[in-house]
Amino acid sequence: SMLTTSSATNVDASVEYATSANDSTDTAREETSEIKPQSVEPMPVIRSMANSITRLPSFVVKTNLDMNIPVMESSRQHVDNDVRRFWRHPNRVNTDKDADFILHIVETVFSDKEDPVRVVNYIDSLPRSASKPHVVWFHWTSLDHRCAPYGPGRQPIFFPESDPFCIKARKALYERNDILYVGFDLGNHIQRFNNSTLKGITVAPGVPGRWPPPYSSGPWGSSKYFLTFRGSISMGRVFYNPTRVLINQSFGNMHQQNPSIQVHIATSRKAANAFPPGTPPYDDLMNSSYILVLRGDQRWSYRFTEVIVGCSIPVILADGITLPYEQLIDWSQVSIRIPEALANDSQAILNLLPKDPLVIRSMRQKLCEIRDRFWLPRDGLENA
């Protein structure tokens, strides 16, 4: 079995929720009856291919930026951080000749006010190679407004043929067989479509400033809360998305009736005025069986990594998002994905969360296994 055993069975918040929430106990039993632990050998959450790799490939690092290109400081910082994390890796080599693949780290373009043309031209210029693939580390190049514009009836057009740049972008992004893309969400460049994913690998965003977070050593067998979230009212950087607004409205002051459910969304981004007195601190709310991972400025969120490091179960409302290392990890066993259309119905969301303490314990134990394999080792994310 991929699982280990433990005597820790204290899931007080989960038990409290199952007996105090508005939905009936019978409904909760019915919803979890199909996913209770079985006596058969459980399916491994880490796919077998992750254990069959005997040698990590070598690579050379390149970037499309130099000090003479004027870009936003935040974009240059992203590139610097990513170059640094791979530059230290023992499998990095110095020349193309010695590399199994070429890793290109390109700048972040947050809006059409910047220059996505430079990124697309760089990718398009990469020499074609059947034996030495290009891997493009693709943070975010916003193409929504230019290459997914609204047409008649407010229906967006996917890479319109009338724009030569969009024709070039489509070919570079979707028609090159020698390029794989790496990013936090493989569809983040076109957010108006949920089926615009690039061919490649989704990686986990790190947590800036403090690693690992202080709650990373918390026990997976117990939790203070059942479901939590604390964040801002972010409504999308590229176009309006109401997910957090609707979650804020639907959960409202539920925490006053049921303290095991704590959902707090600030309508102001100013830290001093963000939350009323008495709101539990952020790290305290990470001690939860389930934590909402909501679409914000974009579909992906640093919160996903924070949740995994705490071995809490992510409840994801971000239609179309790709999850980290999906080729290696079976996320269906350890996460709950909920359509954004249910953001205005807190009871429907709660009804979709298993209440059985054994189910919760099993899912969190598997998350700890994933965390220990891919998140906590020094080069775990890069190796994955």
Side-chain angles (χ1 to χ4, degrees), residues 254-310:
M254 188 180 294
H255 61 277
Q256 295 178 358
Q257 288 76 43
N258 189 342
S260 72
I261 299 173
Q262 298 278 339
V263 177
H264 303 273
I265 299 181
T267 56
S268 170
R269 289 202 176 197
K270 295 181 179 179
N273 305 317
F275 299 99
T279 303
Y282 188 90
D283 287 351
D284 183 60
L285 293 177
M286 299 304 287
N287 183 5
S288 179
S289 295
Y290 297 95
I291 298 178
L292 291 169
V293 180
L294 305 177
R295 180 179 189 140
D297 283 340
Q298 52 261 354
R299 279 188 295 230
W300 66 269
S301 169
Y302 287 112
R303 192 180 309 272
F304 185 86
T305 283
E306 295 175 326
V307 171
I308 299 304
V309 169

Side-chain angles (χ1 to χ4, degrees), residues 55 85 119 143 160 168 211 289 297 306 309 322 345 348-349:
R55 184 185 74 86
R85 70 191 295 185
V119 174
L143 298 173
K168 176 189 285 190
W211 185 257
S289 295
D297 283 340
E306 295 175 326
V309 169
T322 57
D345 191 340
I349 292 173

Side-chain angles (χ1 to χ4, degrees), residues 151-222:
R154 293 287 291 174
Q155 293 299 313
I157 303 171
F158 189 67
F159 287 90
E161 295 288 338
S162 58
D163 189 329
F165 167 75
C166 293
I167 295 174
K168 176 189 285 190
R170 187 191 67 236
K171 290 180 178 179
L173 296 175
Y174 293 101
E175 299 179 14
R176 290 274 302 258
N177 293 325
D178 58 334
I179 298 178
L180 287 176
Y181 290 93
V182 176
F184 300 150
D185 173 18
L186 293 176
N188 217 30
H189 58 296
I190 297 286
Q191 295 194 42
R192 287 200 179 103
F193 293 89
N194 291 332
N195 58 350
S196 61
T197 54
L198 301 171
K199 179 174 60 178
I201 301 164
T202 305
V203 295
V207 182
R210 51 177 192 168
W211 185 257
Y215 46 80
S216 62
S217 58
W220 51 260
S222 62

Side-chain angles (χ1 to χ4, degrees), residues 32-43:
T32 60
S33 60
E34 295 181 358
I35 55 175
K36 287 185 177 180
Q38 305 294 316
S39 58
V40 296
E41 184 77 6
M43 292 293 291

Side-chain angles (χ1 to χ4, degrees), residues 47-50 186 200-202 323-330:
R47 304 184 195 277
S48 58
M49 66 177 293
L186 293 176
I201 301 164
T202 305
L323 297 181
Y325 321 122
E326 290 178 319
Q327 297 89 341
L328 303 179
I329 300 170
D330 182 3

Side-chain angles (χ1 to χ4, degrees), residues 113-130:
K113 295 179 182 178
E114 298 169 70
D115 193 3
V117 175
R118 183 166 57 242
V119 174
V120 169
N121 285 343
Y122 177 81
I123 295 171
D124 181 63
S125 70
L126 298 179
R128 294 180 180 271
S129 172

